[in-house]
Amino acid sequence: MDHALHELPAQGHGPRHLRHGHRLVPAQQIHHGAHAGWADDLADLLRHLDAGPAALVGVSMGGSIAGDTAIEYPELVRGIVLSGASVSDFQYTDPQSREFMAESTRMLHSGDIEGWLKGFRQAVAGPRRTTDEVDPGILEHVTEMALHTLSKHTPGERNWHVPMTDTWSRVPKIDVPVLTVNGALDVPDLIADAERYARTVRNGRSVLIEGTSHYPNMEKPEEFNGILLDFLRTL
């Protein structure tokens, strides 16, 4: 996924509609993970823009990057919002979720892009709904983003990413305000881990948005943006 995750054209509720006195910088990870140091890249961008300390807002992998950045570069961060995310070395424990992820990985590595996309769209719906219960415009939008991301990669390419390890032991050191926002229909493992994250930091809280799954910012943008703005006003 890329920065278009935060802008759904048909609804017009992306970050440009959140300004309200805030300077907004939608950041896109270089090659979406095929690069060393997720937090390093974001820290370099914040320094280049002279934008720190900044409030970091990330959805899915972007949320994990926000958390890693708060751990590695605390001087550049004044608050973080994680949506559909936990620590960057998060692991599913539910057997059904682990099987789903393993099959998704198998299809991607075997070149079964259509099969992988079908699973990806199901992940957008979450484990408790079918894709028929999700706005078709959202499914089309995330499919386009997923294909755009896949187009940047080639089979067998080297993965330069150096993952952060033993993250949970470092989370308690985060001393800026933390908000986790999750869709109530997302994978239970992920919701539980996000709530644990909020409890583990020194100043954290967790919010659920009913009727949404992994991308509450897209399914209920007005509610998501309201929660986000309320948090930003406290910083």
Side-chain angles (χ1 to χ4, degrees), residues 140-197:
E140 181 181 356
H141 190 59
V142 296
T143 298
E144 289 175 358
M145 286 189 289
L147 287 171
H148 182 253
T149 295
L150 290 178
S151 71
K152 302 175 185 177
H153 299 278
T154 56
E157 69 181 13
R158 181 173 178 179
N159 184 358
W160 296 93
H161 173 54
V162 180
M164 184 182 292
T165 58
D166 197 26
T167 312
W168 277 117
S169 69
R170 306 174 70 183
V171 170
K173 299 177 182 178
I174 297 176
D175 61 0
V176 297
V178 174
L179 173 67
T180 68
V181 184
N182 292 278
L185 300 177
D186 206 350
V187 178
D189 271 359
L190 189 52
I191 294 175
D193 245 36
E195 292 176 343
R196 176 189 173 190
Y197 199 110

Side-chain angles (χ1 to χ4, degrees), residues 12-101:
H13 290 291
R16 71 185 62 174
H17 302 278
L18 267 177
R19 288 201 170 95
H20 293 276
H22 300 286
R23 179 189 183 191
L24 300 174
V25 182
Q28 180 169 321
Q29 184 64 28
I30 297 176
H31 299 311
H32 192 259
H35 190 270
W38 289 348
D40 299 336
D41 288 338
L42 183 53
D44 286 345
L45 176 62
L46 292 173
R47 292 194 187 102
H48 175 73
L49 297 174
D50 192 24
L56 306 181
V57 181
V59 178
S60 197
M61 190 181 83
S64 298
I65 295 173
D68 283 1
T69 305
I71 291 172
E72 293 278 275
Y73 301 97
E75 73 280 3
L76 295 175
V77 181
R78 65 188 180 99
I80 58 175
V81 178
L82 285 64
S83 180
S86 177
V87 292
S88 57
D89 53 354
F90 166 79
Q91 296 290 327
Y92 290 100
T93 59
D94 173 67
Q96 183 177 355
S97 296
R98 291 174 67 89
E99 182 180 351
F100 178 88
M101 295 304 297

